[in-house]
Amino acid sequence: MSKIRTAIFGGSFDPIHNGHIALARAVRDRGLADEVWFLITPLNPHKQGKQLTDENLRLQMAQLALAGEEALTASDFEFSLPRPSYTINTLDALEKAYPGREFLLLMGADNWYKIDKWYKSEEILARFGIIVYPRDGEEVPPLPPQARWLDSPLYDISSTEIRNAARTGADMSQWLHPDVQALINQENLYK
Ligand code: ATP
């Protein structure tokens, strides 16, 4: 029996926004993977020192945003791993925990260009499929055979912009699932 192909979309998701969701839908709808797991990063090795919202709240926001989305799931898998968990360690642990699945790594073209700086990047490339998506309108980078290009829509939004806007009281609800916006209001986040 062939394995379920699960794309891993790691990020802070502080908060999850419509750009993230559109990207994951594109992975699913274009058949690059059977499902997408949003792995909420408790502490990102590349963003050390950055103040993050409590991980359980970030998880809750992702769960709310993805509740009606087929094959898109919020995951707390990294919460129980030693921190910070480098990508190869997370993929290793996922493989052990879910033998019925084949994991693919979803990453932006900006990160793809820096992959040689990642911890054990050669091993990642040797063992896992990669799906690369455009960031900032970059051209398709040269890709090895195990990497696929996702020609996905670009949404000009980031979580940083949403947090900054929330601080000034600006309305960012067009970028957020209504239940996520409601939780942000209720918990008084990003003030
Ligand atoms: P921050 O502004 O806090 O760095 P972010 O939204 O850029 O947040 P993460 O929350 O870490 O990033 O999201 C995970 C990944 O989602 C990022 O590595 C980034 O490549 C991708 N991403 C972020 N914004 C968009 C967008 N508008 N469209 C497509 N992908 C995005």
Side-chain angles (χ1 to χ4, degrees):
M1 210 182 70
S2 62
K3 294 188 175 187
I4 300 167
R5 294 169 308 143
T6 305
I8 294 302
F9 188 17
S12 316
F13 303 112
D14 191 14
I16 186 170
H17 56 66
N18 292 343
H20 297 133
I21 299 167
L23 181 75
R25 283 184 187 143
V27 172
R28 177 198 64 198
D29 294 345
R30 290 171 201 193
L32 291 176
D34 302 317
E35 57 180 15
V36 181
W37 288 2
F38 289 61
L39 247 66
I40 316 292
T41 319
L43 177 70
N44 185 328
H46 295 296
K47 291 186 182 172
Q48 255 162 17
K50 190 178 132 179
Q51 197 89 35
L52 288 175
T53 303
D54 175 82
E55 61 204 36
N56 289 307
L57 272 174
R58 287 184 286 122
L59 174 68
Q60 207 184 329
M61 288 192 280
Q63 286 168 334
L64 289 169
L66 301 176
E69 299 285 339
E70 197 175 331
L72 310 186
T73 312
S75 169
D76 62 358
F77 187 80
E78 274 195 343
F79 292 10
S80 57
L81 299 182
R83 300 177 196 186
S85 185
Y86 289 98
T87 302
I88 187 67
N89 296 341
T90 300
L91 290 168
D92 252 340
L94 281 165
E95 233 177 28
K96 287 199 183 84
Y98 300 96
R101 285 176 161 83
E102 173 197 339
F103 291 98
L104 302 130
L105 191 60
L106 183 56
M107 68 167 76
D110 50 341
N111 274 326
W112 172 256
Y113 284 115
K114 293 182 276 185
I115 185 103
D116 54 331
K117 301 208 176 65
W118 286 27
Y119 177 61
K120 295 197 177 173
S121 62
E122 281 181 19
E123 189 181 339
I124 296 175
L125 294 177
R127 290 178 46 203
F128 298 93
I130 313 277
I131 303 167
V132 186
Y133 56 88
R135 292 290 286 158
D136 305 325
E138 282 133 351
E139 299 285 300
V140 187
L143 296 173
Q146 73 274 33
R148 298 282 307 275
W149 178 250
L150 171 69
D151 194 10
S152 58
L154 278 174
Y155 282 57
D156 189 17
I157 189 66
S158 70
S159 299
T160 304
E161 277 174 76
I162 292 170
R163 293 192 302 274
N164 290 342
R167 222 160 270 133
T168 68
D171 177 22
M172 295 303 274
S173 54
Q174 62 165 315
W175 298 110
L176 298 165
H177 187 288
D179 294 346
V180 172
Q181 180 70 71
L183 187 64
I184 290 172
N185 297 345
Q186 182 196 311
E187 298 290 331
N188 210 18
L189 298 180
Y190 314 124
K191 289 293 179 197

